[in-house]
Amino acid sequence: MEMEELTPHIEELKRVLGDKVDEEQIIEDLNRYINEYHTGISSAKRGILRKYGAGDVTSFATAASVVKKISELNGNEQNVDIIAKVVFVDVKNITVKGLSKTIVSGILGDETGTASFTIWEPGALTLDRGSVYAFKNCYCRLWNEKVQINLGNRGRVEASNLSIQVPERTIDVSSVAEVKIANIKEGMGSVTVTGKIISTEQRSVVVKGEPKTVYAGVIADDTGKIQFSAWSDHGLKEGETICVKNGYIRSWKSIPQLNIGDRSEVSRVDAVFDAVGGGATFRTIDEITRIGGGLDIKVQGMIVDVRAGSGLIKRCPQCNRSILNGTCATHGVVEGINDLRMKIVVDDGTGAIGAVINRADTEKITGVNMSAAEGLASVQGEGVVARELTAKVLMKRIALTGNVISDNFGPSMVVHSAELVKEDVASEAAKLLEEVEGSL
Ligand SMILES: [Zn+2]
């Protein structure tokens, strides 16, 4: 790539990194990614931002606010614009750190649903019930599993002349949209799903002192699979195909789950598709970032970083959590047990994802086993182990399968299986040539 083509990207990086890094260093880094590692320009930029600790790998994407409908909110938004009707509004006086303060709160609604809101610095602002406004630079939080919209001192409210119909709160079962499992996202609310039962289980839980049974399992269609749970026994059996009308989507660590509640209808249907079954579902990292998380997902990309906390670590013998300096946060001073792991960042050209690889897969893909690692550490120190592992895998292609969860740091995968992907350039080229010649 020529210098001229790189200029806008260098300017963009300079803007994000500020005076932390000088231009020469940025150019050198970009050159290394593009000409030595042969990554795309967006992977290169994400790598450079990570290298200089410019926080979140999605910095570019989150610089500007996004516009969302209320049903699309998941409670993690940092900067979001919402156009909505004021369904209810109230001015309250509260006491914060001994000081009296006026806030405006109430309920906002749009075509997709309703949510409560709070304006923390209203000044002279007044809102009219029934009027539509654009609420800009909001942030959202989850409270009791419900999304709350907040406007802090960066927030703005502008009158809007849009007309919005807020639906009645009663849900008509027949109108709830049928969705494919791969398209299920956090905060979707009510859905209708048709799929095949892959597994079932019963769990005992205690709710408000009362023992209860949860009827749970995994259901799949031809696009993906999802965990379901119900408080009542619908007699669901492995292998049968069911339609759940008016199920409800809730998320645990941003992995969506299908809840079958009192207002859901369950019916048996004839199977009309092949469920994805036992195999993992292939996704791009961009798709994962949009969906938030999921079970049994497969990604493939390049290892662009091996993070701190990789290599030889010690775990508490009682709770199995990793410990520092021989001390467990819960169990105090303990005799730690050695373990090997890698915390890697994988970039597939559409985005980046963090992944934690356990001992067995770390040994398999690096060829460094536990006793070799212990040997290295005893001679040259533990830091050498991480450097050795890094040297074996950095800038190699890898295929990962596991469960993806999301938090404030973005999506990360708990890996169930990992495999390096051989880049067989010669045979790829031969195959391509064959295809080209075959089409002549
Ligand atoms: Zn412990």
Side-chain angles (χ1 to χ4, degrees), residues 315-321 323 327-332 334:
R315 292 189 183 279
C316 171
Q318 289 173 63
C319 65
N320 204 40
R321 279 178 293 191
I323 60 174
T327 310
C328 170
T330 310
H331 299 104
V334 289

Side-chain angles (χ1 to χ4, degrees), residues 4 15 79 88 103 106 157 171 299 316 319 331 351 353 357 362-363 367 376 381:
E4 270 169 37
R15 249 194 338 269
N79 192 5
F88 174 77
I103 61 169
V157 180
I171 296 165
V299 296
C316 171
C319 65
H331 299 104
I353 189 172
I357 298 183
T362 298
E363 289 180 329
L376 262 179

